[in-house]
Amino acid sequence: MRWPLLIRLVVLALLIAFLVTPESFAFLLEPLTKNGQPAIYDRGSLWSLTLSHLAITFAATIAATVVAVGLAILVTRPFGAEFLPLSRSLANIGQTFPPVAVLALAVPILGFGTAPTLVALFLYGLLPIFENSLTGLTTLPPAVTEAARGMGMTGTQRLTRVELPLALPVILGGVRLSTVISLATATIGSTVAARTLGEIIIAGLTASNTAFVLQGGLIVAVLAVLIYDGLSALERFLVARTGRARQEAA
């Protein structure tokens, strides 16, 4: 287990070094340039673009998590069960309309910039979080929920102290998937003037500069792997913890 952790730390350190001092790595990308093109993106700070890209991704994911988990809680209560088909249809909207189509529809209303990108990522991230939240809340061990009811807990107490903590690993699995999808999809936000790493890729495609395209794609890919790996580790920790809690309750 030490070597994989060491590799992750090395990759993270290299990524940070590249974002802070990209000129130090220019010699690796120069073979991909032609006609005196710059090897490192020079129309903005890579560090600033990366932070903006992550901020947009996390903002959309947090909003999608709040709405998706809220809908899952609603439809798993007796008074909200009838809203399940409607909630599932709402969660499917983002998958029905491609993010590019959502951007095209949102720009005339919200204008260019970050706002339409947030809307597209929010809608696109709803479904995996909603489905995982629904699964987590509907597959709890009956013995645990009955024990909570037998202890005199109210519905709210059972939800906050028993159901959500036990369902959290499954919910986090949906959040992990949604985050990685949004991280990759956020690159298209640069087509509507949002500050994302897609700006580097678009600049590379426009100027036929493979070095720009590669560095933009690599930054996104490395971020996706590291975030996915980190959330997976957290998910495994929560699975072990909730597994012990279930055994103690039983």
Side-chain angles (χ1 to χ4, degrees):
M1 293 300 291
R2 292 181 181 179
W3 279 110
L5 177 59
L6 179 60
I7 292 173
R8 297 183 195 113
L9 293 175
V10 169
V11 170
L12 178 60
L14 288 173
L15 175 62
I16 293 175
F18 179 72
L19 295 176
V20 175
T21 59
E23 298 80 10
S24 303
F25 298 82
F27 69 96
L28 295 173
L29 296 169
E30 283 175 354
L32 301 175
T33 63
K34 56 184 179 181
N35 301 325
Q37 293 176 324
I40 300 298
Y41 183 70
D42 56 357
R43 302 175 194 173
S45 165
L46 294 182
W47 179 259
S48 176
L49 283 174
T50 301
L51 291 181
S52 177
H53 190 106
L54 289 173
I56 291 172
T57 299
F58 289 141
T61 302
I62 290 171
T65 300
V66 171
V67 173
V69 174
L71 286 175
I73 291 173
L74 172 67
V75 300
T76 53
R77 307 304 99 181
F79 60 84
E82 61 184 291
F83 295 105
L84 176 57
L86 175 61
S87 298
R88 184 161 273 147
S89 297
L90 290 174
N92 272 293
I93 288 178
Q95 304 293 327
T96 303
F97 292 95
V100 174
V102 176
L103 286 177
L105 294 172
V107 166
I109 301 172
L110 301 174
F112 287 89
T114 301
T117 305
L118 284 172
V119 171
L121 296 181
F122 165 76
L123 292 176
Y124 206 55
L126 279 175
L127 185 61
I129 302 175
F130 174 75
E131 290 295 343
N132 274 48
S133 300
L134 193 62
T135 299
L137 291 171
T138 55
T139 57
L140 296 173
V144 175
T145 55
E146 286 300 324
R149 188 175 288 106
M151 294 172 62
M153 288 187 179
T154 64
T156 302
Q157 289 174 329
R158 291 197 302 272
L159 175 65
T160 58
R161 298 183 185 180
V162 179
E163 295 180 35
L164 283 177
L166 291 178
L168 187 58
V170 182
I171 295 174
L172 186 60
V175 174
R176 169 169 49 85
L177 179 59
S178 179
T179 302
V180 173
I181 291 174
S182 294
L183 187 70
T185 308
T187 54
I188 67 170
S190 292
T191 62
V192 293
R195 283 183 55 78
T196 73
L197 292 165
E199 181 178 316
I200 307 172
I201 298 173
I202 292 173
L205 292 173
T206 303
S208 298
N209 189 335
T210 307
F212 282 6
V213 176
L214 180 61
Q215 65 193 267
L218 278 177
I219 294 172
V220 174
V222 172
L223 286 173
V225 170
L226 290 175
I227 291 174
Y228 184 93
D229 192 58
L231 291 176
S232 294
L234 178 58
E235 187 180 341
R236 289 192 297 271
F237 170 76
L238 291 174
V239 166
R241 183 175 179 180
T242 54
R244 290 195 298 269
R246 291 183 182 188
Q247 290 176 356
E248 291 173 1

